[in-house]
Structure formats: C-alpha cells, structure tokens
Amino acid sequence: MKKIRCLVTAGPTREYFDPVRFISNPSTGKMGWAIAKAAKDKGWEPTLILGPSPLPDIEGARTLRVESAQDMFEACKKFFDECDILIMSAAVSDVRPKKKLAQKAKKDEINLSPELERTPDILLELSKIKNGRILIGFAAETQNVLEYAKEKLEQKNLDGIVANAVGGIDTGFASDTNKIDLILRSGEVVDFRKGTKNEVAKLLINFLSARFFDQ
Ligand code: CTP
C-alpha cells in the first residue's frame, strides 16, 4: 500500500508589533496535533507545521515550528509539493502589523492606531497550485457554521471543509473535546460524534483515508 503523505497545520500564528507584543488567537494546536498523530498511527507520513504551542513533537512525524502566518506559508510551500493531502487546521491570523519594531516600544511610545495589513491566505494560495492534491480546510465559526463553511469550501476550491463551532466551552479553541462536521464538495455532510480531540481526529483520518485513498 502506498504511504499517504500528509501536511497538517495547527495552532495559532503570532504577528508581532515588537519583540513582546503580538496579534494572535486562542488556538492551542490540539486539534491539528491530534490529526497529525492520528495520521501517523494510521501509517501515513505526516508533516506537522505547528504555530506557537506547548505541545511536544510527535514521535515518528516531522514537526516544524513556526511563528507568523508568513513563516507558516513558507513552510507549507516547502512541503506542499511532496504531499498527497493538506489538512489546514491552523487558526492563521488574518492580519498583521505593517511595521514590526526591532526593540520593545516604551508604553508612552506605543502607536495606538497601528496600521495593519492582511496576511497571505495560505489555503487560498495553495489551492491555486493544487494539482490533484486533496485539500481539507477548517472553518472556525461562532455562528452560521455550516453556511459559512460551505462558502469557504467554494472560495478556496477545497475537497472538504471541517465545520467547527468555536466559542463554546467543550468545542473549539483550547478545549480537550470537539464536535465537527465534514462538508464535502458534493454537499454531503458527515457528522462526527463529539469526543476528545484524539477520538475525533481518528474518525476524521479514517474517513479521509477510505474516501480519498481507498485505504
Ligand atoms: N486560512 C489560511 N490563511 C489565512 C486564513 C485562513 O490558510 N490567512 C485557512 C485556515 O487554516 C482554514 C481556512 O483558511 O483552513 C478558513 O479559515 P477561517 O479563519 O475559518 O476563515 P477565513 O478564510 O480567515 O475567513 P473569515 O475570517 O472571514 O471567516
């Protein structure tokens, strides 16, 4: 059986104003980490690109640690060529400060209206050079979860998108449990039962393996 090479992103990104201040989000990387682990346990070859997170490396899997959306983009581009499937579960910051100061700004000198710019949309950019690879996105939403997720599936030319309600106490960011639905291009919605992130990740990988790789 052919080994499936899988690129997984996880965690938040940090976009620094100066060496001690940044824009980020509450993601901890647990879901993507669990997906990379489940992929490894399934016999796949995962590469995990992990934003700032206290989670350890996964034994037997390549783990790269990155900080900003730009770093994550560079790392993804480096390993995209050699992957069969990308699972983009990272909560990438959508904006970054236009300027990063080399030294910590003193309180009185802090610019109270700093100029921001958009970060690259990694998934959208990679979808333009998809070339037969399977692309799975994540939609972290606080409302209209399925509707917004479907829109992203179309916009980013994905094969599937995980619709993930965040903002509750037992799903989404930082929680040890999660509840996800996977929406496929056909419109099919696969409803995975709630469980620990490890359990949910295993169900997801088993499904993707059977559906896209006949394994
Ligand atoms: N994503 C990405 N690069 C970004 C932002 C998001 O690759 N700069 C990816 C995420 O990893 C996820 C998908 O795009 O797989 C959807 O991310 P999400 O934050 O839910 O949506 P956005 O596309 O950022 O749109 P919005 O913030 O308007 O909901």
Side-chain angles (χ1 to χ4, degrees):
M1 259 192 322
K2 179 178 165 285
K3 274 224 171 190
I4 298 162
R5 294 160 308 174
C6 165
L7 186 58
V8 183
T9 65
T13 65
R14 284 182 185 169
E15 314 300 329
Y16 280 89
F17 292 96
D18 71 21
V20 300
R21 301 182 181 96
F22 53 79
I23 297 176
S24 192
N25 60 64
S27 168
T28 55
K30 283 182 200 165
M31 191 66 232
W33 190 96
I35 290 171
K37 172 79 166 59
K40 200 221 107 200
D41 293 344
K42 183 84 181 161
W44 291 13
E45 261 175 33
T47 295
L48 172 64
I49 300 178
L50 183 59
S53 163
L55 293 170
D57 288 6
I58 296 173
E59 228 186 284
R62 180 160 53 193
T63 306
L64 277 96
R65 291 178 187 268
V66 295
E67 200 117 46
S68 66
Q70 191 64 41
D71 296 342
M72 187 171 277
F73 190 27
E74 301 304 329
C76 283
K77 281 192 282 190
K78 193 164 162 201
F79 293 102
F80 189 62
D81 265 0
E82 60 176 60
C83 82
D84 301 305
I85 174 168
L86 165 69
I87 304 176
M88 190 80 204
S89 73
V92 185
S93 176
D94 289 315
V95 293
R96 64 186 172 204
K98 234 177 176 170
K99 258 198 223 148
K100 180 187 165 187
L101 302 176
Q103 303 299 332
K104 179 186 164 187
K106 298 307 288 175
K107 188 161 56 182
D108 298 340
E109 297 163 359
I110 293 175
N111 179 355
L112 300 181
S113 308
E115 239 192 295
L116 303 179
E117 63 184 7
R118 289 189 201 289
T119 55
D121 188 323
I122 302 171
L123 192 51
L124 181 67
E125 292 307 318
L126 294 177
S127 76
K128 295 176 187 165
I129 50 166
K130 184 175 180 194
N131 204 11
R133 292 177 189 81
I134 304 297
L135 300 192
I136 306 294
F138 261 70
E141 306 289 355
T142 57
Q143 59 176 346
N144 306 330
V145 183
L146 290 180
E147 182 193 328
Y148 288 160
K150 278 181 195 159
E151 283 173 15
K152 285 173 194 172
L153 174 93
E154 292 298 329
Q155 281 162 7
K156 305 195 189 194
N157 190 23
L158 307 177
D159 299 281
I161 189 155
V162 172
N164 196 177
V166 296
I169 46 164
D170 54 0
T171 61
F173 291 141
S175 167
D176 285 325
T177 53
N178 208 2
K179 167 76 194 78
I180 61 170
D181 295 299
L182 176 68
I183 307 174
L184 298 165
R185 280 211 80 76
S186 59
E188 186 185 345
V189 180
V190 188
D191 176 351
F192 293 103
R193 66 174 178 276
K194 187 172 159 187
T196 64
K197 285 187 170 169
N198 287 334
E199 288 164 351
V200 171
K202 194 173 169 191
L203 293 174
L204 178 67
I205 289 293
N206 283 341
F207 180 88
L208 295 173
S209 183
R211 175 59 62 103
F212 293 108
F213 302 102
D214 289 326
Q215 291 186 19

